[in-house]
């Protein structure tokens, strides 16, 4: 591994941590500023922060990170913001899965390094949309790449919320080329689809994986702007909807939609599968699951 790659890995890891800090501060600010409507009289939520560890098969240290979870707040019923940097040797199943995706040399040399941030928010008020975001960098001796995106998952859909979320994503991606937003939007539409339900998980967003144009700096800049787009895309929707009145019907719709979200994450989500298969902290991997859900 070259000194340049060591520096790039450190730069990416530090940036994911800074993005985590910015989001945690913004979400606690939403809790503090919620002063009317449902849940406003509750104590503002705060994140509980836990260090996570990954152990290799021989029990040696293989990195870790921070799991930050808020439960039962004024605005967020459950939200997790995880950041990690892990490394080691991929198991046989993970090697085969990555080889099938075209990762060069992974079966001959299964060493890996991965860093990223992952976020899932489930809201108290069913008028507020659930949301997911992640950005990450992955390295093996044969390749490096970036991935990530964000997608909106409302149980009660508002066309203007969807339009705002997508418009902010497009604004942040356009400096990287006019083809980027349509490309990543289409990818999200395909990736966040639930085949056994014949429907999308939500109203879409942007997504990419295996991003390696050959220009590390350009790909990292694109990944950073995916992360920078998240707060301005999501926070205004929460501020607009968090004080709206709701009843049993709206709450029931929220719980049913959460069942849909849980199905996707447990059956199809690539990050969930990778985290569990590579020995990362199971609680951190599964923090995306909603606190309550139902099936009809």
């Amino acid at each position: 591994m070259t000194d340049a790659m060591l520096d790039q890995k450190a730069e990416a890891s530090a940036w994911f941590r800074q993005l985590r800090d910015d989001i945690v501060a913004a979400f606690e600010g939403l809790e503090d500023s919620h002063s009317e409507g449902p849940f406003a009289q509750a104590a503002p939520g705060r994140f509980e922060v836990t260090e996570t560890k990954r152990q290799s098969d021989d029990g040696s240290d293989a990195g870790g990170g921070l799991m930050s979870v808020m439960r039962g707040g004024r605005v967020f019923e459950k939200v997790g913001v995880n950041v990690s940097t892990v490394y080691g040797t991929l198991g046989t199943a993970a090697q085969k899965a990555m080889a099938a995706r075209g990762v060069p040399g992974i079966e001959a040399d299964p060493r890996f390094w991965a860093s990223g941030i992952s976020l899932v928010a489930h809201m108290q008020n069913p008028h507020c949309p659930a949301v997911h975001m992640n950005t990450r960098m992955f390295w093996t001796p044969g390749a490096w790449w970036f991935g990530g995106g964000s997608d909106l998952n409302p149980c009660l859909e508002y066309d203007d919320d969807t339009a705002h979320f997508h418009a902010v994503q497009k604004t942040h991606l356009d400096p990287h080329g006019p083809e980027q937003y349509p490309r990543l939007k289409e990818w999200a539409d395909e990736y966040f689809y639930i085949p056994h339900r014949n429907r999308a998980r939500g109203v879409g967003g942007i997504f990419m994986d295996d991003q390696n144009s050959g220009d590390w700096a350009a790909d990292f800049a694109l990944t950073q702007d995916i992360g920078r787009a998240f707060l301005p895309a999501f926070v205004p929707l929460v501020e607009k909807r968090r004080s709206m009145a709701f009843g049993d019907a709206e709450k029931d719709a929220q719980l049913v939609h959460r069942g849909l979200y849980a199905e996707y994450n447990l059956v199809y989500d690539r990050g969930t599968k990778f985290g569990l298969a590579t020995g990362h902290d199971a609680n951190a991997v599964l923090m995306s699951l909603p606190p309550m859900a139902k099936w009809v």
Side-chain angles (χ1 to χ4, degrees):
M1 188 187 308
T2 65
D3 289 343
M5 179 51 68
L6 286 171
D7 290 343
Q8 289 166 346
K9 288 162 68 173
E11 183 180 359
S13 181
W15 191 83
F16 296 136
R17 173 57 188 267
Q18 183 60 58
L19 180 60
R20 174 262 177 208
D21 293 349
D22 292 343
I23 291 171
V24 165
F27 282 5
E28 289 190 345
L30 284 171
E31 288 286 315
D32 291 338
S33 64
H34 186 44
S35 59
E36 61 182 28
F39 309 105
Q41 302 307 310
R46 288 293 180 267
F47 282 95
E48 297 178 4
V49 182
T50 306
E51 289 191 12
T52 62
K53 297 291 184 181
R54 178 185 180 272
Q55 288 190 330
S56 62
D57 291 340
D58 63 7
S60 61
D61 177 67
L66 293 178
M67 176 174 66
S68 304
V69 181
M70 181 195 304
R71 298 178 178 88
R74 292 173 171 175
V75 178
F76 297 95
E77 186 170 355
K78 179 187 177 187
V79 52
V81 187
N82 291 351
V83 65
S84 65
T85 298
V86 297
Y87 45 84
T89 301
L90 291 172
T92 302
Q95 289 179 56
K96 290 182 177 179
M98 291 197 169
R101 286 165 52 189
V103 177
I106 192 65
E107 290 183 296
D109 190 340
R111 289 175 295 159
F112 82 98
W113 177 97
S115 184
I117 176 175
S118 180
L119 173 157
V120 177
H122 298 288
M123 315 305 290
Q124 291 280 22
N125 193 319
H127 293 286
C128 290
V131 73
H132 155 263
M133 186 279 295
N134 76 82
T135 58
R136 59 190 177 274
M137 177 187 164
F138 200 94
W139 173 92
T140 72
W144 55 261
W145 69 88
F146 290 95
S150 59
D151 66 300
L152 200 66
N153 297 271
C155 66
L156 304 172
E157 295 183 16
Y158 293 95
D159 290 343
D160 53 335
D161 289 5
T162 302
H164 169 84
F165 190 79
H166 281 272
V168 173
Q169 309 281 4
K170 183 177 186 301
T171 297
H172 282 74
L173 293 184
D174 280 351
H176 302 276
E179 77 285 356
Q180 293 292 1
Y181 170 73
R183 179 176 77 94
L184 270 61
K185 179 185 181 300
E186 181 179 3
W187 204 334
D189 290 342
E190 293 175 357
Y191 184 71
F192 297 113
Y193 186 81
I194 306 175
H196 67 268
R197 296 292 187 183
N198 297 312
R199 60 156 294 172
R201 185 173 78 174
V203 295
I206 54 176
F207 180 78
M208 68 177 186
D209 212 350
D210 304 335
Q211 175 67 30
N212 182 335
S213 68
D215 185 335
W216 187 91
D219 291 343
F220 182 41
L222 173 62
T223 304
Q224 287 175 297
D225 276 335
I226 290 173
R228 292 188 185 107
F230 172 71
L231 286 174
F234 178 63
V235 169
L237 307 183
V238 177
E239 292 174 330
K240 180 166 57 174
R241 304 292 178 192
R242 62 185 174 179
S243 296
M244 293 177 65
F246 64 87
D248 291 343
E250 290 84 3
K251 199 64 180 177
D252 189 70
Q254 182 188 53
L255 294 175
V256 170
H257 191 81
R258 286 178 177 178
L260 191 73
Y261 195 96
E263 288 178 20
Y264 177 88
N265 278 35
L266 291 173
V267 177
Y268 301 110
D269 185 76
R270 186 181 292 174
T272 301
K273 292 179 179 179
F274 178 81
L276 294 176
T278 56
H280 197 53
D281 186 292
N283 289 328
V285 174
L286 297 173
M287 69 86 185
S288 61
L289 296 179
M292 297 180 65
K294 68 177 293 184
W295 283 261
V296 295

